[in-house]
Amino acid sequence: MKLIFERSRPGRRAGSLPRYDLSKPEVPEELRRRTPPRLPELSEPELVRHFTALADRNFGVDTGFYPLGSCTMKHNPRVNERVVGLPGFRDLHPYQEEEASQGALELMWRLQEILAEVCGLDAVSLQPAAGSQGELTGLMLMRAYFADRGEAEQRRVVITADTAHGTNPASVAMAGFELRKVGTDERGNLDLDDLRAKVDERTAGLMLTNPSTLGLFDEHIEEVAAIFHDAGALLYYDGANLNAVCGISRPGDMGFDIVHINLHKTFSQPHGGGGPGGGPIAVRDVLEPFLPVPAVVRDGDAFRLDHDRPQTIGKVRGFCGPFGVFVRSYAYIRAYGPGLREMSEAAVLNANYLLARLRDVYELPFERLCMHEFVLSARNLKREHGISALDVAKRLMDHGFHPPTIYFPLVVPEALMIEPTETEPKETLDAFVDAMRAIAAEAASDPQTIKDAPHTRPVRRLDEVKAAKRAIVKYGFEEHPNLAREPSTGEAIEAQKGA
Ligand SMILES: Cc1ncc(COP(=O)(O)O)c(C=O)c1O
């Protein structure tokens, strides 16, 4: 496909603007362009076709099955877009006075109440804009809590599982804590012996996803909570996998003190490519005084923003957070109503259906029923036919599916992490099973075809390191260096800065 600069022809225009008889502003000589900007010149139909062709190459949850484990790529109901586009929501200015934004404040307050109930905790802040920002905020709350008790110097260590998502250890480091990792036992639970040996009076808390990134619910979660609480430490619940347990079990009841919720996973937001997202946090009452300001509170029939929280950690995001995300999530939750648990039940059922139909052709590292996702291993294909998880993922694209998450969690070699979500019908699940089984059979009969996949995409296998480190984000006019060649060391650093 040609780049837009290659389609450009001098003098072509996609539109024409009327000429106004206005005086020309004086631009200082040193700021003036010497040459006109080299913008692409195309007619309107060419422009439309170019961008439509690019858009057609996109794969999204609206084009096909997207079983990206840990990401909950579910359908985003269109009615939510209608609701968030209502003028009263869409045109509201963040500085609108409170009397004129009662509806928006009420929506936020109600969403807080619902999330507190879903999590089994006492108070919620909607402010963080992503799960990872929720993690950092939660850890800052932990620090504020221990500082208030005079234990800030003593409680320096936060424990994570060896199955943890990369943002967990990153948030621990960013919040200024020391990181300690705990292993996984042979049933996919936290290794209790390892845990007991690592929790002491220096421990500030645990960060855990439950169900874990293996898609397994920790069978000893109450014992785990007791180990931390007995040591005076707190428990943080990474709610990225909340889609598995809504209305069934609550992190607060499991013993967790702080939870983040990925609104863009469990409660349906169009997401990917860095946004938009929402990562509210729910906390136990002892942590409420430290929550970010402003808090959305109810006074009788009225709602207001409360800035008067002397112990707050401050603000973590502009205004009240990503408001459009709140509206969509609220609409999604209210559409389910009291039957919200059906969402999680269907997600778990779909995952177990796939697991049951695939476990005889791919290795299953932990012999258990799964929650809303599961992890298989392509280790058997690698051993017998030299076919890796990456090869399986690339070949799935030829079958019209987005690949699952691969090589994560790190504790499973050749991992394929599959999350179907509740919004997929049986026919789609069956088609995915057929593709996965066909690939396993092809690994024995014609491994080279899998190794060369994808065959039906505009590009084959990219050099992913180079694509990340040497991303070419602007057109190389003839006088620019050839960015496709191997960089020298100095140039590589420049390229990383986006030069
Ligand atoms: C288990 C887990 N924790 C945390 C995160 C971070 O969430 P976010 O992408 O919203 O920052 C993710 C994201 O995929 C995740 O899967």
Side-chain angles (χ1 to χ4, degrees):
M1 185 175 163
K2 279 191 172 170
L3 298 177
I4 196 160
F5 286 98
E6 291 160 354
R7 298 174 76 114
S8 175
R9 294 290 175 275
R12 289 207 185 142
R13 290 289 178 273
S16 66
L17 296 174
R19 290 203 173 277
Y20 284 107
D21 201 12
L22 298 173
S23 57
K24 282 198 177 147
E26 273 309 307
V27 179
E29 181 58 29
E30 70 276 16
L31 296 181
R32 280 194 206 158
R33 281 189 166 281
R34 305 272 171 269
T35 50
R38 288 178 296 187
L39 300 175
E41 299 177 72
L42 284 90
S43 69
E44 183 169 328
E46 288 173 301
L47 191 67
V48 170
R49 281 184 193 142
H50 178 75
F51 284 108
T52 305
L54 278 179
D56 282 348
R57 290 184 167 200
N58 242 344
F59 190 96
V61 75
D62 292 342
T63 30
F65 186 46
Y66 207 131
L68 198 62
S70 211
C71 289
T72 316
M73 302 299 288
K74 63 170 77 172
H75 172 68
N76 304 296
R78 293 303 184 270
V79 66
N80 297 350
E81 299 306 314
R82 291 289 291 275
V83 174
V84 78
L86 291 173
F89 291 134
R90 186 193 61 207
D91 300 339
L92 197 62
H93 193 279
Y95 282 131
Q96 187 86 42
E97 61 273 25
E98 285 174 7
E99 305 83 73
S101 43
Q102 283 296 298
L105 291 172
E106 179 171 353
L107 183 142
M108 287 192 280
W109 182 82
R110 285 184 182 277
L111 182 59
Q112 288 175 184
E113 293 290 297
I114 293 170
L115 296 178
E117 178 62 28
V118 165
C119 294
L121 288 167
D122 303 300
V124 168
S125 168
L126 299 176
Q127 241 180 60
S132 42
Q133 201 189 8
E135 290 173 25
L136 181 63
T137 309
L139 290 165
M140 286 162 71
L141 293 179
M142 246 187 218
R143 211 172 48 193
Y145 170 82
F146 286 120
D148 186 52
R149 296 163 64 92
E151 296 177 40
E153 291 309 311
Q154 173 197 330
R155 305 242 173 220
R156 303 290 312 131
V157 177
V158 172
I159 293 177
T160 64
D162 60 0
T163 52
H165 189 258
T167 50
N168 289 185
S171 300
V172 171
M174 221 169 159
F177 287 107
E178 288 166 33
L179 177 71
R180 211 176 274 181
K181 279 198 183 173
V182 168
T184 299
D185 71 14
E186 67 286 349
R187 282 191 55 80
N189 299 312
L190 272 189
D191 182 330
L192 283 183
D193 292 334
D194 193 18
L195 190 63
R196 282 198 196 92
K198 284 177 178 158
V199 177
D200 55 26
E201 67 292 342
R202 292 188 65 236
T203 309
L206 168 75
M207 279 189 102
L208 190 69
T209 317
N210 192 29
S212 68
T213 58
L214 293 165
L216 300 174
F217 195 93
D218 198 296
E219 295 166 307
H220 311 296
I221 193 60
E222 285 170 330
E223 217 172 326
V224 170
I227 293 173
F228 280 85
H229 285 156
D230 289 350
L234 296 171
L235 282 96
Y236 181 99
Y237 182 94
D238 173 338
N241 292 341
L242 201 65
N243 211 54
V245 294
C246 279
I248 301 170
S249 63
R250 308 189 303 174
D253 299 340
M254 297 174 210
F256 288 90
D257 305 293
I258 311 170
V259 174
H260 87 247
I261 303 127
N262 300 65
L263 292 180
H264 46 292
K265 300 184 182 188
T266 311
F267 299 123
S268 99
Q269 307 285 330
H271 71 284
I281 44 172
V283 297
R284 218 174 274 292
D285 52 4
V286 290
L287 290 150
E288 185 176 2
F290 310 106
L291 282 177
V293 281
V296 183
V297 294
R298 179 179 192 164
D299 281 338
D301 286 339
F303 301 87
R304 65 182 173 82
L305 296 175
D306 183 9
H307 293 265
D308 187 19
R309 304 261 165 143
Q311 289 183 287
T312 178
I313 58 165
K315 249 175 156 347
V316 297
R317 179 88 164 100
F319 303 104
C320 293
F323 181 69
V325 173
F326 306 156
V327 179
R328 290 191 194 88
S329 290
Y330 182 72
Y332 186 75
I333 294 169
R334 291 302 302 267
Y336 268 103
L340 190 60
R341 72 178 286 157
E342 288 166 20
M343 168 185 94
S344 292
E345 285 170 347
V348 172
L349 182 64
N350 276 358
N352 276 290
Y353 178 71
L354 285 185
L355 173 59
R357 294 210 53 206
L358 289 172
R359 55 179 295 166
D360 60 323
V361 279
Y362 293 86
E363 262 185 35
L364 179 62
F366 299 96
E367 275 290 328
R368 284 174 60 183
L369 288 177
C370 66
M371 296 295 290
H372 68 311
E373 67 187 0
F374 59 100
V375 179
L376 295 173
S377 170
R379 196 164 38 172
N380 54 329
L381 301 190
K382 181 128 194 217
R383 200 173 42 234
E384 290 157 26
H385 314 295
I387 293 299
S388 65
L390 179 72
D391 296 326
V392 175
K394 296 292 183 193
R395 187 66 172 134
L396 265 173
M397 293 160 81
D398 289 333
H399 288 264
F401 296 112
H402 193 285
T405 299
I406 53 173
Y407 298 107
F408 180 74
L410 304 175
V411 295
V412 176
E414 302 299 327
L416 294 154
M417 185 202 222
I418 300 166
E419 179 179 2
T421 84
E422 71 282 7
T423 57
E424 295 300 337
K426 182 169 176 296
E427 294 73 25
T428 305
L429 302 182
D430 285 334
F432 179 71
V433 167
D434 291 346
M436 287 289 283
R437 296 185 76 91
I439 294 169
E442 194 176 39
S445 62
D446 183 9
Q448 197 53 44
T449 299
I450 304 182
K451 290 217 145 298
D452 294 339
H455 300 271
T456 56
R457 303 287 117 192
V459 289
R460 306 292 284 271
R461 298 209 186 186
L462 300 175
D463 179 340
E464 288 168 12
V465 174
K466 204 166 170 187
K469 298 211 165 185
R470 298 258 302 152
I472 300 170
V473 292
K474 67 180 184 183
Y475 184 60
F477 289 103
E478 54 291 343
E479 72 271 28
H480 281 245
N482 173 10
L483 294 174
R485 72 182 161 74
E486 286 304 317
S488 66
T489 321
E491 279 178 352
I493 293 164
E494 274 302 300
Q496 283 172 32
K497 285 189 286 185

